[in-house]
Amino acid sequence: GAGVSQSPRYKVAKRGQDVALRCDPISGHVSLFWYQQALGQGPEFLTYFQNEAQLDKSGLPSDRFFAERPEGSVSTLKIQRTQQEDSAVYLCASSFSGSGYTFGSGTRLTVV
Amino acid sequence: QQQVKQSPQSLIVQKGGISIINCAYENTAFDYFPWYQQFPGKGPALLIAIRPDVSEKKEGRFTISFNKSAKQFSLHIMDSQPGDSATYFCAASRANQGGKLIFGQGTELSVKP
C-alpha cells in the first residue's frame, strides 16, 4: 500500500484482557519498528525487525509484551494481561534502509 | 536517563515569525538526527534530518543547525504559518542499532494568525 497501515485504530480493553495490534508496512520495506507513545510524550522504542528476524527487543517493558513478524511483512504486537499503564498509542514504522522511516497513524489502546 | 533533551515544551509564534526548537544529546555515538512533525491523531512524519558531518541543512522553510562540539542541534522554521501548528520531535540514532530512534519529549508549536 501507499503507507503504513495499523489496525485497529482504537482499542478499549478491560484490565487483564489480551490484545493484538496489527501493522501492515509499506511493501518491500525490510525494517519494521514498534514504538509506544504515552500522552504528551515522545515515542519510545519497543522492538525492531529486519525481515522476519527480531533484532532488538530491548524496549519491551515486560514479558507481557510480545511481537512477531513471521513472514517478514505484517507484524503483530501482542500484550497479555493488559494493565492500566499499558494505555498509550502504539506506533508502527517501516523503512527500506533503516533510516528515514514512515510511521503509521497508530493504535490508541485504552485499558479500563 | 533522558538521552535527548528538547526545549521548549511549548511555543507560540506569530504568523511570519521564526520558530526555534532546541535539542541536546548525550551519546557521542549518535550519527543521525531527524526532526519529526506530528499532527493530532497521526503518526510522526519525517521533516528533515542531518548527519554530524555538516553543520547546517536547509529544506524550504526548515533548517537544522548542528553543533557537534556542544552536542546540540536545532530546528528553525522560517516564515511560520498556522498550518505549521503541530508537535515537533527531535530524535537521534546510531548506525549500528538498525535505525532505532531516541526521541525528545516534544514541542507543541502554535502559530497565531
Side-chain angles (χ1 to χ4, degrees):
Chain A
V4 177
S5 178
Q6 293 188 245
S7 60
R9 287 282 284 121
Y10 304 92
K11 176 69 179 179
V12 178
K14 291 184 178 179
R15 190 169 53 186
Q17 185 179 356
D18 297 350
V19 298
L21 313 180
R22 177 187 169 104
C23 174
D24 278 274
I26 293 173
S27 179
H29 276 194
V30 169
S31 300
L32 185 145
F33 303 81
W34 284 97
Y35 286 80
Q36 180 190 59
Q37 186 173 25
L39 187 64
Q41 300 295 315
E44 291 195 1
F45 172 81
L46 292 177
T47 187
Y48 155 60
F49 291 85
Q50 187 167 318
N51 295 306
E52 69 278 4
Q54 189 175 18
L55 299 185
D56 186 345
K57 54 182 181 179
S58 62
L60 296 176
S62 77
D63 58 6
R64 297 186 295 105
F65 287 71
F66 172 76
E68 60 183 5
R69 194 187 185 196
E71 298 179 357
S73 178
V74 171
S75 177
T76 304
L77 176 67
K78 298 179 179 178
I79 309 173
Q80 297 177 326
R81 304 182 303 282
T82 52
Q83 304 294 317
Q84 280 195 317
E85 62 263 29
D86 300 336
S87 296
V89 174
Y90 291 86
L91 295 164
C92 176
S94 71
S95 79
F96 181 73
S97 62
S99 64
Y101 39 75
T102 302
F103 280 90
S105 292
T107 293
R108 179 176 297 277
L109 173 65
T110 303
V111 182
V112 298
Chain B
Q1 183 183 5
Q2 187 68 41
Q3 294 193 59
V4 178
K5 295 183 180 180
Q6 183 173 345
S7 63
Q9 189 172 358
S10 63
L11 182 61
I12 299 174
V13 173
Q14 292 296 316
K15 178 181 176 182
I18 302 173
S19 304
I20 302 174
I21 305 171
N22 301 297
C23 277
Y25 63 97
E26 298 172 2
N27 190 340
T28 55
F30 288 144
D31 57 7
Y32 177 70
F33 302 91
W35 283 90
Y36 281 82
Q37 179 189 57
Q38 186 176 30
F39 293 104
K42 300 293 186 182
L46 180 65
L47 203 57
I48 187 172
I50 198 167
R51 294 195 184 273
D53 53 344
V54 296
S55 60
E56 186 176 281
K57 182 174 181 180
K58 183 176 180 179
E59 290 183 1
R61 296 185 294 111
F62 302 93
T63 300
I64 298 180
S65 297
F66 186 82
N67 186 329
K68 188 174 181 179
S69 61
K71 294 188 287 185
Q72 295 176 347
F73 59 110
S74 60
L75 175 70
H76 294 234
I77 305 174
M78 311 300 288
D79 188 27
S80 299
Q81 298 297 312
D84 297 330
S85 297
T87 300
Y88 293 79
F89 294 96
C90 62
S93 71
R94 294 167 53 178
N96 65 357
Q97 290 194 331
K100 166 185 173 180
L101 287 172
I102 308 298
F103 282 86
Q105 303 95 314
T107 296
E108 188 173 355
L109 172 65
S110 177
V111 181
K112 300 298 185 184

